[in-house]
Amino acid sequence: MTCSGDQLLEMLSALANPHRLRILATLSSMGRTYVSQLAREIGISRPLLHLHLRKLEEAGLVTSRLEISPDGKALNFFEVAPFAIELTPAAIAEAAPSLTATSRHSDS
């Protein structure tokens, strides 16, 4: 997978958090699941989980789908999106020229 500099930074930033790594690991082993179940499994609050899921989704690492259960409840299901990151000096050199001005000066 060839990424632009901005995409690479976004993915690496999303992965640079232990909660988000645990979320990806749990989704990878459990498969598609809804937020409340995932929060219980990982042991974090739903608001905190939503924050991390949003960051992972923005980076293209997870996908979500809102579904209505048979009893009428809205359930937001998440699953790991297929991705692969090649992090080599050559891949970084290829991605670096496409960094936008904003991301070139960002320390976050």
Side-chain angles (χ1 to χ4, degrees):
M1 172 183 202
T2 302
C3 295
S4 72
D6 293 343
Q7 290 169 322
L8 181 61
L9 277 179
E10 190 168 26
M11 291 175 88
L12 292 175
S13 174
L15 293 170
N17 180 286
H19 286 304
R20 292 192 284 267
L21 287 178
R22 285 186 196 100
I23 291 166
L24 281 174
T26 303
L27 284 172
S28 182
S29 64
M30 288 180 65
R32 182 178 162 275
T33 191
Y34 60 98
V35 171
S36 294
Q37 183 180 5
L38 186 58
R40 282 191 300 272
E41 185 69 28
I42 295 172
I44 63 175
S45 69
R46 284 184 302 171
L48 181 59
L49 179 59
H50 273 288
L51 178 115
H52 290 300
L53 285 168
R54 185 172 356 126
K55 181 83 169 172
L56 289 166
E57 192 168 24
E58 288 170 356
L61 302 173
V62 300
T63 59
S64 68
R65 182 180 169 143
L66 190 62
E67 297 180 16
I68 306 300
S69 69
D71 62 352
K73 293 180 183 174
L75 300 173
N76 200 3
F77 284 87
F78 282 85
E79 64 186 332
V80 175
F83 71 91
I85 301 170
E86 181 183 12
L87 194 58
T88 63
I92 293 169
E94 183 180 333
S98 65
L99 289 168
T100 62
T102 304
S103 62
R104 285 187 184 123
H105 301 293
S106 176
D107 288 331
S108 54

